[in-house]
């Protein structure tokens, strides 16, 4: 069953949730504007597990490699991917942000993205 909404009122304005939704939409619209250059952009800012192997071996610098962990959190593979992610963020994010507070919710969101990236890299080495 796909939720359409929740019935839990919040006590605060979900500033972080709304900002994350806007940032994700803006990033996706930017992706769409790239046309034939999209693959190059995704390879540069997306999470490519092989890049981490090269960084471990010293063939690539660490800072841009680690940066893709964060930039990849805002990249989406299509409208359905974007809408699915943002739908759940919109429905549940405001309640989680209300419960955790703005700063802790942002840290929770980023930590979830970091964990997902690390698991992706570990399962796709080689």
């Amino acid at each position: 069953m796909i939720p359409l909404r929740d019935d839990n009122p919040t006590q605060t304005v979900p500033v972080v949730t709304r900002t994350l939704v806007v940032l994700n939409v803006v990033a996706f619209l930017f992706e769409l504007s790239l046309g034939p250059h999209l693959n190059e952009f995704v390879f540069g800012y997306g999470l490519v597990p092989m890049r981490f192997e090269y960084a471990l071996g010293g063939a690539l610098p660490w800072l841009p490699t680690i940066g893709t962990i964060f930039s990849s959190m805002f990249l989406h593979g299509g409208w359905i991917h974007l809408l699915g992610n943002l739908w759940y963020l919109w429905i549940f994010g405001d309640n989680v942000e209300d419960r955790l507070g703005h700063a802790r919710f942002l840290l929770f969101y980023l930590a979830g993205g970091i964990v997902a990236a690390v698991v992706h890299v570990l399962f796709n080495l080689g």
Side-chain angles (χ1 to χ4, degrees):
M1 181 178 300
I2 298 174
L4 299 177
R5 65 186 179 287
D6 67 356
D7 295 323
N8 302 326
T10 59
Q11 303 298 316
T12 61
V13 176
V15 177
V16 176
T17 299
R18 291 178 182 177
T19 302
L20 289 170
V21 168
V22 168
L23 288 174
N24 276 282
V25 169
V26 167
F28 186 69
L29 293 175
F30 179 74
E31 284 180 63
L32 292 179
S33 76
L34 293 175
H37 303 289
L38 178 60
N39 285 341
E40 181 181 334
F41 176 79
V42 170
F43 184 75
Y45 292 95
L47 186 80
V48 180
M50 184 64 77
R51 191 178 291 147
F52 285 83
E53 289 186 51
Y54 287 148
L56 272 174
L60 284 177
W62 268 104
L63 191 57
T65 303
I66 291 173
T68 63
I69 291 173
F70 297 98
S71 59
S72 68
M73 289 183 208
F74 297 93
L75 301 181
H76 292 85
W79 283 104
I80 293 175
H81 183 204
L82 176 75
L83 292 174
N85 284 357
L86 295 187
W87 186 278
Y88 278 84
L89 178 60
W90 185 258
I91 290 174
F92 300 113
D94 61 342
N95 297 115
V96 177
E97 181 177 352
D98 194 42
R99 176 75 181 216
L100 294 178
H102 305 302
R104 286 185 16 199
F105 175 69
L106 179 59
L107 290 175
F108 176 72
Y109 180 89
L110 294 174
I114 292 167
V115 169
V118 169
V119 169
H120 177 66
V121 168
L122 291 176
F123 278 90
N124 291 286
L125 292 175

